Amino acid sequence: MVKRQYAVIGLGRFGVSVARKLYEAGHDVLGIDCNEERVEDVEIAVTHAVVADTTEEKALISIGIRNFDCVIVAIGNDMQSSILTVMLLKEFGVKKVIAKALGKHHGRVLEKIGADWIIYPERDMGERVANQLLSPNMLNYIELSKEFNIEEILIPLSMAEKSLRELDIRAKYNVSVIAIVREGEIIVSPSSDQIIHKGDLLVVIGNREDLAEFSNIE
Ligand code: ADP
């Protein structure tokens, strides 16, 4: 695995959970917050943590922010600080800046000043919950475009102990199986002889309507 250097600015609930996951995955993570208590609290979940106000150029220079592969701006309610921080990071030439937006207007400003990826945690989580309710067998998904998704779908019992050839999923449902997840192991590009077992997850690609139909089979 390539070890990457991440910095997470703003150590609230969102920032800490991003930082902790990246650190647990083996990457170097620097946590930054202007609030000393937050920095002390996060110290065991990151490689290193510092107190700094990231709206100050000098602070960013002394941290050496240019050397990070990716910086996540997880500043919460202080929109002005979030915008100023993203602007400075882009001016410093940080390659990948990910920023959390409070809403549409904040997001539009972040986009204009060059944030590479804007996250709307509340909106995105709301959509996830609704999608999960609409398709109970769908456990996870990636949006490829407005039309196409990759989804991880728990196989319906009616499909257990049959081969992919017998199931003929592409012809019947217009979606393609790209992998099977079985007890945590991934079988990539499964052959048509592969038998599907109870509890398997199918990773399928297709358009959303076809996927919705497929993930609602009993
Ligand atoms: P959440 O909703 O994810 O819990 P919060 O608003 O509680 O988010 O957390 C945002 C964090 O960002 C706070 O800990 C705050 O101290 C930090 N923060 C705000 N402005 C700055 C700044 N200019 N520089 C560094 N950290 C900042």
Side-chain angles (χ1 to χ4, degrees), residues 9-16 32-35 38 52-56 74-78 81-82 85 100:
I9 301 174
L11 301 171
R13 289 158 303 178
F14 179 79
V16 170
I32 306 167
D33 202 294
C34 55
N35 178 333
R38 294 242 157 139
D53 180 345
T54 55
T55 60
E56 288 176 8
I75 294 175
N77 298 317
D78 188 348
S81 288
S82 144
T85 299
K100 161 179 149 172

Side-chain angles (χ1 to χ4, degrees), residues 69-178:
D69 299 311
C70 174
V71 180
I72 298 113
V73 181
I75 294 175
N77 298 317
D78 188 348
M79 214 187 281
Q80 189 173 324
S81 288
S82 144
I83 292 167
L84 225 86
T85 299
V86 170
M87 212 176 72
L88 288 174
L89 294 172
K90 288 317 287 185
E91 276 178 18
F92 279 129
V94 174
K95 271 182 252 114
K96 190 161 188 183
V97 177
I98 300 173
K100 161 179 149 172
L102 290 175
K104 215 165 56 184
H105 297 302
H106 185 192
R108 281 188 65 188
V109 177
L110 293 173
E111 201 182 310
K112 285 266 184 292
I113 57 176
D116 300 283
W117 179 15
I118 298 154
I119 295 162
Y120 302 85
E122 306 249 299
R123 187 199 70 182
D124 295 350
M125 197 60 205
E127 282 179 11
R128 268 186 185 266
V129 170
N131 280 329
Q132 189 83 58
L133 292 171
L134 294 170
S135 308
N137 289 338
M138 193 255 296
L139 301 186
N140 217 336
Y141 67 96
I142 302 171
E143 280 180 17
L144 296 177
S145 68
K146 281 211 159 67
E147 264 177 88
F148 291 95
N149 275 10
I150 292 178
E151 298 188 356
E152 200 175 59
I153 294 170
L154 182 65
I155 64 142
L157 282 179
S158 58
M159 285 192 184
E161 308 316 318
K162 291 187 178 133
S163 70
L164 285 175
R165 184 179 296 113
E166 270 174 273
L167 293 170
D168 206 10
I169 292 171
R170 185 152 11 143
K172 284 191 190 145
Y173 304 99
N174 202 27
V175 299
S176 304
V177 177
I178 53 177

Side-chain angles (χ1 to χ4, degrees), residues 164 177-180 187-196 202-203:
L164 285 175
V177 177
I178 53 177
I180 300 172
I187 305 162
V188 180
S189 298
S191 77
S192 48
D193 299 327
Q194 188 67 239
I195 307 281
I196 307 291
L202 296 184
V203 182

